[in-house]
Amino acid sequence: MADGNTFSDVQFLTVAEVADLLRVSKMTVYRLVHAGDLPAVQFGRSYRVPESAVGEFLRNSQVDGQSESA
């Protein structure tokens, strides 16, 4: 893997677990995966998301608190 971890070191989450963590629907998680915003591995018809990818997604999605003037 790119960050030096082996597959045995990676913890995978189901779509339902990711949805619970992010407090969004499972459909939102599927949209993020299909859009390429959240990396996932497909096993048959189901997806698994590396736990580290969820943390990275949250860090990259943080808002700086400044509002834009319209």
Side-chain angles (χ1 to χ4, degrees), residues 4-11:
N5 291 337
T6 62
F7 280 112
S8 63
D9 295 336
V10 178
Q11 295 292 325

Side-chain angles (χ1 to χ4, degrees), residues 13-16 26 30 33-34 40-49:
L13 302 172
T14 64
V15 169
K26 290 190 293 185
Y30 283 117
V33 168
H34 288 293
V41 178
Q42 187 173 5
F43 295 101
R45 292 179 47 178
S46 63
Y47 289 90
R48 297 293 185 269
V49 179

Side-chain angles (χ1 to χ4, degrees), residues 8-65:
S8 63
D9 295 336
V10 178
Q11 295 292 325
F12 288 98
L13 302 172
T14 64
V15 169
E17 291 171 332
V18 175
D20 286 341
L21 282 172
L22 299 179
R23 295 182 184 228
V24 298
S25 71
K26 290 190 293 185
M27 184 54 66
T28 299
V29 176
Y30 283 117
R31 286 184 187 124
L32 290 169
V33 168
H34 288 293
D37 295 330
L38 189 61
V41 178
Q42 187 173 5
F43 295 101
R45 292 179 47 178
S46 63
Y47 289 90
R48 297 293 185 269
V49 179
E51 191 173 31
S52 59
V54 176
E56 186 172 333
F57 173 78
L58 289 174
R59 281 189 295 280
N60 292 337
S61 299
Q62 285 183 337
V63 178
D64 62 3

